[in-house]
Amino acid sequence: MTATELGQGDLERIQRRTVGVLALGQVLGGIAFGATVSLGALLAADLSGDDALSGLATASVTLGAAAAAIPLARFASRRGRRLSLTAGNLLALVGVGIVITAASIRSFPVLLVGVILIGMGNAGNLQSRFAATDLASAQHRGRDLSIVVWSTTIGGVAGPFLLTPGEVIGQALGMPHLTGSYVFSLIAQALALALYLIALRPDPLLLALRIARDEGRGAVLGASVDRPVAARYAIFAVAGSHAVMASVMAMTPIHLSHMAHGMHGMATTETDVTTLVGLTIGLHVAGMYGLSPVFGILSDRWGRVRVVLLGQALLTASLLTAIFAGENPVGVMAALILLGLGWSAATVAGAALLTESSTTLQRPRRQGISDSLMSLTAAVGAALAGLVLTNFGYGGLGAAALVIVIAITALSPLARVRPAA
């Protein structure tokens, strides 16, 4: 059946199936990347012997994602989402193997190489949310995108909680210290690769591009809408919100570790530290993804810009909590939950705004630019966060991140600029 022969019912059925496949893939992706986020900073500090360098692990993940986002988007334009997503899975699998090797030979530079490759794989994983919008109607674009984002909750929350059992498995297998959880990453990445390769048919982007050539059918998907000013603001809002989240989240395991060893009455064993870190990051990931369908539906009903601003309000609450209650574990947990919620609102609404402000032909390129800038700014933020934490503490890190939130809020009127008649 050709694109022109597809009825509206056929298109809706294909979209439902596509969202289902992408959602399952995100469950697996959440498990795969959960351990990377939680262990990266701890491994970097352990292998480098310097807490100030711990932020380079998260920075390397985001640098890898920044480097691969545009090439993978171009690859998707030519060959479709299916092959682009599986290419990302392959990169991540290789990266996990290198990270385990680096821990075995105690090499910090080799660790960064492996983490960069994992980040490149994450660039493919990020494309899943845009793949959910390729065939979505304007009325349900935010909802469909947010369902795929939400699906990461299951694996993303489970990933950090697998740190302690992962170490038990790692010891049984003779794996290096702090790498046992990567066993779960390897299995999850391999399953996600097989899922996309087999089940993501027809390819949503290639089908959307074919439909876009039909003027009547393309209008249903908003194929000819172009609002470049709004698209640029969406890119900025998503990148800035992600930089705030990544910089604070990257340093939280180190901050918690210092508190665990330095405060009277706190547990000091390695198991207790990893449990505290896993609990906090797990709650943060739950905040990132757990309510994303709510934010997606709100963005469809209230409008994209309002929900982006709601995200900035939540990020502000998070940073103020970090500033004034960041020396208490409960305060840190509250700050990380709010941080995740703010990120969710801003990125779900921002991604929907970017998609609907671009023509179908422009979307993959602009989406790739958005993901690349999002990862690049987060990499810079995470790298600087280690230095800020060392010199100004957790509260100083929150104050620095607050500047970005203010800028996103102040520039929001740009998103309401309409194209010239």
Side-chain angles (χ1 to χ4, degrees):
M1 183 180 294
T2 65
T4 55
E5 295 173 334
L6 283 172
Q8 186 61 31
D10 295 321
L11 196 59
E12 291 175 355
R13 176 181 54 79
I14 292 171
Q15 173 65 358
R16 286 195 299 270
R17 184 173 186 272
T18 297
V19 171
V21 171
L22 293 170
L24 180 55
Q26 286 297 93
V27 171
L28 296 169
I31 294 173
F33 289 106
T36 300
V37 171
S38 301
L39 290 176
L42 295 176
L43 268 174
D46 179 47
L47 296 183
S48 68
D50 187 351
D51 285 349
L53 297 178
S54 58
L56 289 179
T58 301
S60 296
V61 170
T62 48
L63 279 174
I70 293 176
L72 284 176
R74 290 176 176 171
F75 184 54
S77 296
R78 295 193 302 268
R79 303 297 300 275
R81 299 287 191 191
R82 184 172 64 92
L83 293 183
S84 178
L85 291 173
T86 54
N89 291 131
L90 282 172
L91 289 169
L93 279 169
V94 174
V96 170
I98 293 176
V99 166
I100 295 172
T101 301
S104 178
I105 64 176
R106 305 287 302 170
S107 173
F108 180 63
V110 173
L111 171 73
L112 294 184
V113 172
V115 173
I116 287 172
L117 284 172
I118 292 174
M120 289 182 173
N122 197 30
N125 202 49
L126 286 172
Q127 285 189 9
S128 294
R129 72 195 196 284
F130 289 126
T133 68
D134 289 333
L135 296 173
S137 63
Q139 297 92 332
H140 301 301
R141 185 169 290 132
R143 182 201 64 186
D144 290 353
L145 183 151
S146 64
I147 288 172
V148 173
V149 173
W150 174 85
S151 300
T152 310
T153 308
I154 301 172
V157 173
F161 284 108
L162 293 173
L163 293 182
T164 301
E167 281 304 291
V168 174
I169 293 174
Q171 290 176 8
L173 296 175
M175 296 177 67
H177 179 56
L178 293 176
T179 64
S181 294
Y182 285 108
V183 171
F184 301 118
S185 297
L186 288 169
I187 296 172
Q189 287 287 3
L191 291 174
L193 186 152
L195 173 71
Y196 291 138
L197 198 60
I198 296 169
L200 196 58
R201 300 171 184 270
D203 190 282
L205 179 56
L206 297 182
L207 180 57
L209 289 171
R210 290 197 295 270
I211 291 174
R213 299 187 184 101
D214 183 330
E215 184 174 347
R217 297 296 302 283
V220 176
L221 301 179
S224 59
V225 174
D226 186 31
R227 298 172 57 211
V229 176
R232 285 193 289 270
Y233 172 76
I235 291 171
F236 172 69
V238 170
S241 300
H242 190 66
V244 169
M245 184 278 295
S247 59
V248 176
M249 182 272 294
M251 289 299 101
T252 296
I254 301 300
H255 180 59
L256 288 172
S257 179
H258 289 168
M259 284 198 299
H261 288 96
M263 292 178 62
H264 178 69
M266 292 287 289
T268 57
T269 67
E270 287 298 326
T271 298
D272 289 326
V273 171
T274 56
T275 300
L276 177 61
V277 170
L279 174 62
T280 303
I281 298 300
L283 291 172
H284 167 66
V285 173
M288 288 176 67
Y289 302 114
L291 294 184
S292 56
V294 175
F295 296 129
I297 293 170
L298 287 178
S299 73
D300 288 336
R301 295 181 179 179
W302 290 1
R304 318 303 184 194
V305 180
R306 288 181 179 178
V307 179
V308 168
L309 292 177
L310 172 61
Q312 303 316 300
L314 290 166
L315 289 175
T316 299
S318 166
L319 298 175
L320 291 177
T321 303
I323 292 170
F324 295 108
E327 296 306 315
N328 185 295
V330 176
V332 174
M333 288 181 188
L336 265 287
I337 292 171
L338 289 168
L339 187 73
L341 291 171
W343 175 89
S344 181
T347 55
V348 166
L353 176 63
L354 174 60
T355 299
E356 70 184 16
S357 299
S358 309
T359 68
T360 299
L361 292 175
Q362 292 169 328
R363 284 174 192 170
R365 181 179 65 85
R366 288 181 180 174
Q367 289 164 352
I369 292 172
S370 176
D371 281 350
S372 182
L373 288 178
M374 180 178 74
S375 299
L376 184 61
T377 54
V380 174
L384 294 176
L387 299 175
V388 175
L389 180 69
T390 301
N391 291 285
F392 301 103
Y394 201 62
L397 179 60
L402 194 58
V403 175
I404 301 174
V405 175
I406 293 172
I408 295 171
T409 303
L411 293 175
S412 61
L414 292 175
R416 298 185 174 91
V417 175
R418 296 287 176 179

mmCIF file with all atom_site columns, all heavy atoms in Angstrom, residues 284-301:
data_model
loop_
_atom_site.group_PDB
_atom_site.id
_atom_site.type_symbol
_atom_site.label_atom_id
_atom_site.label_alt_id
_atom_site.label_comp_id
_atom_site.label_asym_id
_atom_site.label_entity_id
_atom_site.label_seq_id
_atom_site.pdbx_PDB_ins_code
_atom_site.Cartn_x
_atom_site.Cartn_y
_atom_site.Cartn_z
_atom_site.occupancy
_atom_site.B_iso_or_equiv
_atom_site.pdbx_formal_charge
_atom_site.auth_seq_id
_atom_site.auth_comp_id
_atom_site.auth_asym_id
_atom_site.auth_atom_id
_atom_site.pdbx_PDB_model_num
ATOM 1   N N   . HIS A 1 284 ? 15.026 11.164 40.984 1.00 0.00 ? 284 HIS A N   1
ATOM 2   C CA  . HIS A 1 284 ? 15.212 12.202 39.965 1.00 0.00 ? 284 HIS A CA  1
ATOM 3   C C   . HIS A 1 284 ? 14.723 11.736 38.595 1.00 0.00 ? 284 HIS A C   1
ATOM 4   O O   . HIS A 1 284 ? 14.004 12.466 37.901 1.00 0.00 ? 284 HIS A O   1
ATOM 5   C CB  . HIS A 1 284 ? 16.697 12.575 39.898 1.00 0.00 ? 284 HIS A CB  1
ATOM 6   C CG  . HIS A 1 284 ? 17.069 13.386 38.699 1.00 0.00 ? 284 HIS A CG  1
ATOM 7   N ND1 . HIS A 1 284 ? 16.606 14.669 38.490 1.00 0.00 ? 284 HIS A ND1 1
ATOM 8   C CD2 . HIS A 1 284 ? 17.869 13.105 37.631 1.00 0.00 ? 284 HIS A CD2 1
ATOM 9   C CE1 . HIS A 1 284 ? 17.101 15.148 37.354 1.00 0.00 ? 284 HIS A CE1 1
ATOM 10  N NE2 . HIS A 1 284 ? 17.857 14.201 36.819 1.00 0.00 ? 284 HIS A NE2 1
ATOM 11  N N   . VAL A 1 285 ? 15.086 10.521 38.223 1.00 0.00 ? 285 VAL A N   1
ATOM 12  C CA  . VAL A 1 285 ? 14.666 9.978  36.933 1.00 0.00 ? 285 VAL A CA  1
ATOM 13  C C   . VAL A 1 285 ? 13.146 9.815  36.898 1.00 0.00 ? 285 VAL A C   1
ATOM 14  O O   . VAL A 1 285 ? 12.501 10.047 35.867 1.00 0.00 ? 285 VAL A O   1
ATOM 15  C CB  . VAL A 1 285 ? 15.378 8.646  36.642 1.00 0.00 ? 285 VAL A CB  1
ATOM 16  C CG1 . VAL A 1 285 ? 14.822 7.986  35.390 1.00 0.00 ? 285 VAL A CG1 1
ATOM 17  C CG2 . VAL A 1 285 ? 16.876 8.872  36.496 1.00 0.00 ? 285 VAL A CG2 1
ATOM 18  N N   . ALA A 1 286 ? 12.559 9.426  38.054 1.00 0.00 ? 286 ALA A N   1
ATOM 19  C CA  . ALA A 1 286 ? 11.097 9.337  38.123 1.00 0.00 ? 286 ALA A CA  1
ATOM 20  C C   . ALA A 1 286 ? 10.471 10.699 37.871 1.00 0.00 ? 286 ALA A C   1
ATOM 21  O O   . ALA A 1 286 ? 9.447  10.811 37.180 1.00 0.00 ? 286 ALA A O   1
ATOM 22  C CB  . ALA A 1 286 ? 10.667 8.801  39.490 1.00 0.00 ? 286 ALA A CB  1
ATOM 23  N N   . GLY A 1 287 ? 11.090 11.746 38.415 1.00 0.00 ? 287 GLY A N   1
ATOM 24  C CA  . GLY A 1 287 ? 10.607 13.094 38.143 1.00 0.00 ? 287 GLY A CA  1
ATOM 25  C C   . GLY A 1 287 ? 10.778 13.489 36.686 1.00 0.00 ? 287 GLY A C   1
ATOM 26  O O   . GLY A 1 287 ? 9.914  14.163 36.114 1.00 0.00 ? 287 GLY A O   1
ATOM 27  N N   . MET A 1 288 ? 11.854 13.055 36.059 1.00 0.00 ? 288 MET A N   1
ATOM 28  C CA  . MET A 1 288 ? 12.108 13.382 34.661 1.00 0.00 ? 288 MET A CA  1
ATOM 29  C C   . MET A 1 288 ? 11.043 12.795 33.736 1.00 0.00 ? 288 MET A C   1
ATOM 30  O O   . MET A 1 288 ? 10.625 13.446 32.778 1.00 0.00 ? 288 MET A O   1
ATOM 31  C CB  . MET A 1 288 ? 13.487 12.870 34.235 1.00 0.00 ? 288 MET A CB  1
ATOM 32  C CG  . MET A 1 288 ? 14.660 13.635 34.810 1.00 0.00 ? 288 MET A CG  1
ATOM 33  S SD  . MET A 1 288 ? 16.248 12.883 34.352 1.00 0.00 ? 288 MET A SD  1
ATOM 34  C CE  . MET A 1 288 ? 16.272 13.161 32.584 1.00 0.00 ? 288 MET A CE  1
ATOM 35  N N   . TYR A 1 289 ? 10.635 11.573 34.010 1.00 0.00 ? 289 TYR A N   1
ATOM 36  C CA  . TYR A 1 289 ? 9.797  10.864 33.051 1.00 0.00 ? 289 TYR A CA  1
ATOM 37  C C   . TYR A 1 289 ? 8.391  10.516 33.544 1.00 0.00 ? 289 TYR A C   1
ATOM 38  O O   . TYR A 1 289 ? 7.485  10.307 32.747 1.00 0.00 ? 289 TYR A O   1
ATOM 39  C CB  . TYR A 1 289 ? 10.505 9.572  32.619 1.00 0.00 ? 289 TYR A CB  1
ATOM 40  C CG  . TYR A 1 289 ? 11.860 9.811  32.015 1.00 0.00 ? 289 TYR A CG  1
ATOM 41  C CD1 . TYR A 1 289 ? 13.019 9.371  32.649 1.00 0.00 ? 289 TYR A CD1 1
ATOM 42  C CD2 . TYR A 1 289 ? 11.990 10.507 30.821 1.00 0.00 ? 289 TYR A CD2 1
ATOM 43  C CE1 . TYR A 1 289 ? 14.272 9.605  32.096 1.00 0.00 ? 289 TYR A CE1 1
ATOM 44  C CE2 . TYR A 1 289 ? 13.236 10.747 30.267 1.00 0.00 ? 289 TYR A CE2 1
ATOM 45  C CZ  . TYR A 1 289 ? 14.371 10.290 30.902 1.00 0.00 ? 289 TYR A CZ  1
ATOM 46  O OH  . TYR A 1 289 ? 15.598 10.528 30.360 1.00 0.00 ? 289 TYR A OH  1
ATOM 47  N N   . GLY A 1 290 ? 8.207  10.438 34.866 1.00 0.00 ? 290 GLY A N   1
ATOM 48  C CA  . GLY A 1 290 ? 6.962  9.925  35.402 1.00 0.00 ? 290 GLY A CA  1
ATOM 49  C C   . GLY A 1 290 ? 5.723  10.707 35.009 1.00 0.00 ? 290 GLY A C   1
ATOM 50  O O   . GLY A 1 290 ? 4.669  10.132 34.745 1.00 0.00 ? 290 GLY A O   1
ATOM 51  N N   . LEU A 1 291 ? 5.821  12.043 34.969 1.00 0.00 ? 291 LEU A N   1
ATOM 52  C CA  . LEU A 1 291 ? 4.666  12.880 34.639 1.00 0.00 ? 291 LEU A CA  1
ATOM 53  C C   . LEU A 1 291 ? 4.738  13.458 33.226 1.00 0.00 ? 291 LEU A C   1
ATOM 54  O O   . LEU A 1 291 ? 3.974  14.372 32.897 1.00 0.00 ? 291 LEU A O   1
ATOM 55  C CB  . LEU A 1 291 ? 4.534  14.024 35.658 1.00 0.00 ? 291 LEU A CB  1
ATOM 56  C CG  . LEU A 1 291 ? 4.200  13.623 37.096 1.00 0.00 ? 291 LEU A CG  1
ATOM 57  C CD1 . LEU A 1 291 ? 4.001  14.860 37.960 1.00 0.00 ? 291 LEU A CD1 1
ATOM 58  C CD2 . LEU A 1 291 ? 2.965  12.742 37.159 1.00 0.00 ? 291 LEU A CD2 1
ATOM 59  N N   . SER A 1 292 ? 5.613  12.938 32.401 1.00 0.00 ? 292 SER A N   1
ATOM 60  C CA  . SER A 1 292 ? 5.736  13.491 31.047 1.00 0.00 ? 292 SER A CA  1
ATOM 61  C C   . SER A 1 292 ? 4.432  13.417 30.250 1.00 0.00 ? 292 SER A C   1
ATOM 62  O O   . SER A 1 292 ? 4.127  14.364 29.498 1.00 0.00 ? 292 SER A O   1
ATOM 63  C CB  . SER A 1 292 ? 6.879  12.815 30.285 1.00 0.00 ? 292 SER A CB  1
ATOM 64  O OG  . SER A 1 292 ? 6.722  11.415 30.249 1.00 0.00 ? 292 SER A OG  1
ATOM 65  N N   . PRO A 1 293 ? 3.583  12.353 30.383 1.00 0.00 ? 293 PRO A N   1
ATOM 66  C CA  . PRO A 1 293 ? 2.307  12.391 29.655 1.00 0.00 ? 293 PRO A CA  1
ATOM 67  C C   . PRO A 1 293 ? 1.415  13.548 30.102 1.00 0.00 ? 293 PRO A C   1
ATOM 68  O O   . PRO A 1 293 ? 0.687  14.122 29.295 1.00 0.00 ? 293 PRO A O   1
ATOM 69  C CB  . PRO A 1 293 ? 1.671  11.037 29.998 1.00 0.00 ? 293 PRO A CB  1
ATOM 70  C CG  . PRO A 1 293 ? 2.802  10.150 30.335 1.00 0.00 ? 293 PRO A CG  1
ATOM 71  C CD  . PRO A 1 293 ? 3.792  11.039 31.020 1.00 0.00 ? 293 PRO A CD  1
ATOM 72  N N   . VAL A 1 294 ? 1.475  13.891 31.389 1.00 0.00 ? 294 VAL A N   1
ATOM 73  C CA  . VAL A 1 294 ? 0.701  15.038 31.872 1.00 0.00 ? 294 VAL A CA  1
ATOM 74  C C   . VAL A 1 294 ? 1.176  16.310 31.191 1.00 0.00 ? 294 VAL A C   1
ATOM 75  O O   . VAL A 1 294 ? 0.368  17.124 30.702 1.00 0.00 ? 294 VAL A O   1
ATOM 76  C CB  . VAL A 1 294 ? 0.827  15.166 33.406 1.00 0.00 ? 294 VAL A CB  1
ATOM 77  C CG1 . VAL A 1 294 ? 0.130  16.441 33.894 1.00 0.00 ? 294 VAL A CG1 1
ATOM 78  C CG2 . VAL A 1 294 ? 0.250  13.944 34.094 1.00 0.00 ? 294 VAL A CG2 1
ATOM 79  N N   . PHE A 1 295 ? 2.480  16.497 31.121 1.00 0.00 ? 295 PHE A N   1
ATOM 80  C CA  . PHE A 1 295 ? 3.019  17.689 30.468 1.00 0.00 ? 295 PHE A CA  1
ATOM 81  C C   . PHE A 1 295 ? 2.743  17.676 28.959 1.00 0.00 ? 295 PHE A C   1
ATOM 82  O O   . PHE A 1 295 ? 2.529  18.724 28.351 1.00 0.00 ? 295 PHE A O   1
ATOM 83  C CB  . PHE A 1 295 ? 4.518  17.809 30.732 1.00 0.00 ? 295 PHE A CB  1
ATOM 84  C CG  . PHE A 1 295 ? 4.864  18.020 32.181 1.00 0.00 ? 295 PHE A CG  1
ATOM 85  C CD1 . PHE A 1 295 ? 5.800  17.220 32.820 1.00 0.00 ? 295 PHE A CD1 1
ATOM 86  C CD2 . PHE A 1 295 ? 4.253  19.022 32.915 1.00 0.00 ? 295 PHE A CD2 1
ATOM 87  C CE1 . PHE A 1 295 ? 6.119  17.401 34.152 1.00 0.00 ? 295 PHE A CE1 1
ATOM 88  C CE2 . PHE A 1 295 ? 4.562  19.223 34.260 1.00 0.00 ? 295 PHE A CE2 1
ATOM 89  C CZ  . PHE A 1 295 ? 5.494  18.411 34.875 1.00 0.00 ? 295 PHE A CZ  1
ATOM 90  N N   . GLY A 1 296 ? 2.753  16.482 28.356 1.00 0.00 ? 296 GLY A N   1
ATOM 91  C CA  . GLY A 1 296 ? 2.431  16.390 26.939 1.00 0.00 ? 296 GLY A CA  1
ATOM 92  C C   . GLY A 1 296 ? 0.993  16.779 26.650 1.00 0.00 ? 296 GLY A C   1
ATOM 93  O O   . GLY A 1 296 ? 0.711  17.536 25.712 1.00 0.00 ? 296 GLY A O   1
ATOM 94  N N   . ILE A 1 297 ? 0.068  16.280 27.459 1.00 0.00 ? 297 ILE A N   1
ATOM 95  C CA  . ILE A 1 297 ? -1.345 16.624 27.285 1.00 0.00 ? 297 ILE A CA  1
ATOM 96  C C   . ILE A 1 297 ? -1.572 18.108 27.561 1.00 0.00 ? 297 ILE A C   1
ATOM 97  O O   . ILE A 1 297 ? -2.316 18.793 26.842 1.00 0.00 ? 297 ILE A O   1
ATOM 98  C CB  . ILE A 1 297 ? -2.220 15.741 28.199 1.00 0.00 ? 297 ILE A CB  1
ATOM 99  C CG1 . ILE A 1 297 ? -2.161 14.285 27.734 1.00 0.00 ? 297 ILE A CG1 1
ATOM 100 C CG2 . ILE A 1 297 ? -3.665 16.235 28.205 1.00 0.00 ? 297 ILE A CG2 1
ATOM 101 C CD1 . ILE A 1 297 ? -2.800 13.305 28.695 1.00 0.00 ? 297 ILE A CD1 1
ATOM 102 N N   . LEU A 1 298 ? -0.904 18.634 28.602 1.00 0.00 ? 298 LEU A N   1
ATOM 103 C CA  . LEU A 1 298 ? -1.029 20.066 28.898 1.00 0.00 ? 298 LEU A CA  1
ATOM 104 C C   . LEU A 1 298 ? -0.501 20.919 27.753 1.00 0.00 ? 298 LEU A C   1
ATOM 105 O O   . LEU A 1 298 ? -1.082 21.966 27.427 1.00 0.00 ? 298 LEU A O   1
ATOM 106 C CB  . LEU A 1 298 ? -0.275 20.398 30.188 1.00 0.00 ? 298 LEU A CB  1
ATOM 107 C CG  . LEU A 1 298 ? -0.901 19.927 31.505 1.00 0.00 ? 298 LEU A CG  1
ATOM 108 C CD1 . LEU A 1 298 ? 0.005  20.291 32.674 1.00 0.00 ? 298 LEU A CD1 1
ATOM 109 C CD2 . LEU A 1 298 ? -2.286 20.531 31.687 1.00 0.00 ? 298 LEU A CD2 1
ATOM 110 N N   . SER A 1 299 ? 0.590  20.477 27.123 1.00 0.00 ? 299 SER A N   1
ATOM 111 C CA  . SER A 1 299 ? 1.126  21.260 26.007 1.00 0.00 ? 299 SER A CA  1
ATOM 112 C C   . SER A 1 299 ? 0.186  21.242 24.807 1.00 0.00 ? 299 SER A C   1
ATOM 113 O O   . SER A 1 299 ? 0.128  22.215 24.046 1.00 0.00 ? 299 SER A O   1
ATOM 114 C CB  . SER A 1 299 ? 2.514  20.740 25.610 1.00 0.00 ? 299 SER A CB  1
ATOM 115 O OG  . SER A 1 299 ? 2.432  19.494 24.939 1.00 0.00 ? 299 SER A OG  1
ATOM 116 N N   . ASP A 1 300 ? -0.554 20.141 24.619 1.00 0.00 ? 300 ASP A N   1
ATOM 117 C CA  . ASP A 1 300 ? -1.564 20.099 23.555 1.00 0.00 ? 300 ASP A CA  1
ATOM 118 C C   . ASP A 1 300 ? -2.735 21.023 23.863 1.00 0.00 ? 300 ASP A C   1
ATOM 119 O O   . ASP A 1 300 ? -3.327 21.619 22.960 1.00 0.00 ? 300 ASP A O   1
ATOM 120 C CB  . ASP A 1 300 ? -2.090 18.665 23.379 1.00 0.00 ? 300 ASP A CB  1
ATOM 121 C CG  . ASP A 1 300 ? -1.080 17.731 22.721 1.00 0.00 ? 300 ASP A CG  1
ATOM 122 O OD1 . ASP A 1 300 ? -0.193 18.235 22.005 1.00 0.00 ? 300 ASP A OD1 1
ATOM 123 O OD2 . ASP A 1 300 ? -1.184 16.512 22.932 1.00 0.00 ? 300 ASP A OD2 1
ATOM 124 N N   . ARG A 1 301 ? -3.093 21.160 25.146 1.00 0.00 ? 301 ARG A N   1
ATOM 125 C CA  . ARG A 1 301 ? -4.286 21.919 25.525 1.00 0.00 ? 301 ARG A CA  1
ATOM 126 C C   . ARG A 1 301 ? -3.970 23.378 25.869 1.00 0.00 ? 301 ARG A C   1
ATOM 127 O O   . ARG A 1 301 ? -4.698 24.284 25.472 1.00 0.00 ? 301 ARG A O   1
ATOM 128 C CB  . ARG A 1 301 ? -4.974 21.244 26.715 1.00 0.00 ? 301 ARG A CB  1
ATOM 129 C CG  . ARG A 1 301 ? -5.529 19.864 26.373 1.00 0.00 ? 301 ARG A CG  1
ATOM 130 C CD  . ARG A 1 301 ? -6.228 19.237 27.566 1.00 0.00 ? 301 ARG A CD  1
ATOM 131 N NE  . ARG A 1 301 ? -6.777 17.917 27.217 1.00 0.00 ? 301 ARG A NE  1
ATOM 132 C CZ  . ARG A 1 301 ? -7.434 17.138 28.081 1.00 0.00 ? 301 ARG A CZ  1
ATOM 133 N NH1 . ARG A 1 301 ? -7.615 17.535 29.336 1.00 0.00 ? 301 ARG A NH1 1
ATOM 134 N NH2 . ARG A 1 301 ? -7.894 15.961 27.698 1.00 0.00 ? 301 ARG A NH2 1
#
